[in-house]
Amino acid sequence: MCGRRRAATLHPPIDPGVRVKPREVQRIAYATRLREGAGFEVRRAFPLPGLDQVDPFLLLDEMGPTVYAPGEAVGAPDHPHRGFETVTYVLAGEYLHEDSAGHRGSLKPGDVQWMTAGDGVIHSEQPSAQIKEEGGRVHGFQLWVNLPARDKRIAPRYQDVRAEAMPTWRSDDGRAQVKVIAGHVLGVQAQAETRSPITFVDVALDPGAEVTLDIPAAQNAFVYVFNGSMTVGALGRTARDGDMAMLTRGDTLPLRGKSPRSRALVIAGEPLDEPVVRHGPFVMNTVEEVQEAIADFQAGRFGQIAR
Ligand code: FE
């Protein structure tokens, strides 16, 4: 009796009604180099011609990696935002972020700042004074997350997650690592609170190391590789540095490292399925709301950064 029970625990009967379907690569898009802000170089995964958004995501930029000489580093001086969130994830260098809601903070390697622009802020994103003066290497990401219509005018909010506090899953042999920036993956709960269901992780794999992520099936998902190469999905399609692999719907996402220190962001979210009217830094649901945002900005209703 006892033996039977143990056997049952070790080999639970497979419920024929439950099928686990892995996500696969639907298509691969290639990030494009361009200049942003005051002229810093980014690799833009989207929006690009043919790929406006990945609902609920509006933009993904990889900033650098760039090595600045002394006096060369530039950022994004004062600019407005309304109707969405900007998520900044720094890998190298240091940035100073300030806004008209009175938030001010520095971001160091491994730090994440989840900014809900909501009703509107004037925002400034600059390399630190030290990097401007002495030069140095900067590298990071910015993701724009759309807000549902009900939240577009909420009060601005900042959430800072420091590198040392980032919830992280590691395989027993340490060859696979997953930093959980948003959502709940591999039993690890992220700190950042999101306004709609979102998953955002940074995956690092040694050659041959595997991990299978449990991303909710209702979420649109993609993989952006930013170092080396890895295989994506049960069919093992290869994605390389700068590739953005759009994924089919499924319950699991198998990933396998193909090169030393392959790295990728895996980003997923439940689609909002709402109209999107975007005009630069204003992302609303109707043309009238965008016109109102422009008028509010021009009238100075977003305030200004206290310096
Ligand atoms: Fe900004």
Side-chain angles (χ1 to χ4, degrees), residues 1 6 15 20 23 44 51 63 78 90 99 105 127-128 131 141 164-165 171 174 190 196 216 223 229 248 257 291:
M1 197 65 192
R6 261 180 90 183
D15 180 346
V20 173
R23 290 178 186 260
R44 177 155 296 166
L51 187 60
M63 304 174 284
D78 299 11
V90 175
D99 75 28
S128 68
I131 291 201
F141 292 95
E164 56 274 15
S171 61
S196 61
V223 176
S229 60
T248 61
Q291 287 168 341

Side-chain angles (χ1 to χ4, degrees), residues 76-127:
D78 299 11
H79 58 275
H81 293 291
R82 176 182 278 178
F84 62 102
E85 301 179 296
T86 68
V87 183
T88 306
Y89 177 33
V90 175
L91 296 178
E94 185 179 354
Y95 291 86
L96 174 66
H97 282 200
E98 302 171 276
D99 75 28
S100 54
H103 301 105
R104 180 186 163 91
S106 74
L107 285 93
K108 297 190 169 77
D111 291 350
V112 167
Q113 182 183 75
W114 198 290
M115 185 189 79
T116 307
D119 196 34
V121 292
I122 303 294
H123 197 209
S124 163
E125 306 160 62
Q126 296 283 355

Side-chain angles (χ1 to χ4, degrees), residues 7-294:
T9 306
L10 286 170
H11 304 284
I14 292 166
D15 180 346
V18 176
R19 282 221 189 105
V20 173
K21 187 175 143 202
R23 290 178 186 260
E24 303 291 351
V25 175
Q26 188 176 56
R27 61 180 271 222
I28 287 185
Y30 307 96
T32 298
R33 287 202 183 277
L34 48 94
R35 287 183 185 276
E36 250 308 335
F40 59 90
E41 190 170 81
V42 302
R43 268 201 307 195
R44 177 155 296 166
F46 65 95
L48 290 173
L51 187 60
D52 285 344
Q53 63 161 349
V54 183
D55 190 10
F57 306 105
L58 300 161
L59 171 147
L60 177 65
D61 275 352
E62 179 179 5
M63 304 174 284
T66 303
V67 179
Y68 287 117
E72 250 191 1
V74 289
D78 299 11
H79 58 275
H81 293 291
R82 176 182 278 178
F84 62 102
E85 301 179 296
T86 68
V87 183
T88 306
Y89 177 33
V90 175
L91 296 178
E94 185 179 354
Y95 291 86
L96 174 66
H97 282 200
E98 302 171 276
D99 75 28
S100 54
H103 301 105
R104 180 186 163 91
S106 74
L107 285 93
K108 297 190 169 77
D111 291 350
V112 167
Q113 182 183 75
W114 198 290
M115 185 189 79
T116 307
D119 196 34
V121 292
I122 303 294
H123 197 209
S124 163
E125 306 160 62
Q126 296 283 355
S128 68
Q130 188 182 352
I131 291 201
K132 282 185 169 177
E133 279 164 34
E134 299 171 17
R137 186 170 185 271
V138 297
H139 190 197
F141 292 95
Q142 190 162 92
L143 174 72
W144 288 13
V145 183
N146 203 1
L147 283 168
R150 64 174 183 275
D151 289 338
K152 282 194 175 289
R153 302 290 300 267
I154 58 174
R157 180 188 181 196
Y158 262 66
Q159 300 179 73
D160 288 301
V161 184
R162 294 293 170 197
E164 56 274 15
M166 184 71 66
T168 301
W169 175 91
R170 286 181 186 82
S171 61
D172 291 340
D173 62 7
R175 301 181 72 245
Q177 178 182 286
V178 180
K179 293 184 187 181
V180 184
I181 296 166
H184 185 94
V185 172
L186 299 165
V188 177
Q189 176 64 47
Q191 282 189 19
E193 293 171 20
T194 63
R195 305 299 304 191
S196 61
I198 282 164
T199 308
F200 181 179
V201 300
D202 171 359
V203 179
L205 298 171
D206 283 348
E210 291 176 331
V211 67
T212 297
L213 303 179
D214 48 336
I215 296 168
Q219 298 187 0
N220 283 339
F222 65 92
V223 176
Y224 177 74
V225 179
F226 63 95
N227 196 57
S229 60
M230 61 179 69
T231 65
V232 178
L235 299 176
R237 178 103 179 255
T238 297
R240 298 178 180 80
D241 186 21
D243 284 355
M244 185 192 148
M246 302 285 304
L247 304 175
T248 61
R249 288 286 176 87
D251 309 292
T252 64
L253 175 61
L255 299 169
R256 186 170 195 272
K258 278 191 83 174
S259 65
R261 283 197 64 70
S262 51
R263 293 278 294 274
L265 302 181
V266 179
I267 298 175
E270 248 178 59
L272 300 176
D273 282 327
E274 292 175 344
V276 176
V277 180
R278 63 198 286 176
H279 179 78
F282 308 117
V283 184
M284 306 302 289
N285 300 108
T286 67
V287 171
E288 291 73 23
E289 287 168 351
V290 166
Q291 287 168 341
E292 185 185 10
I294 294 168

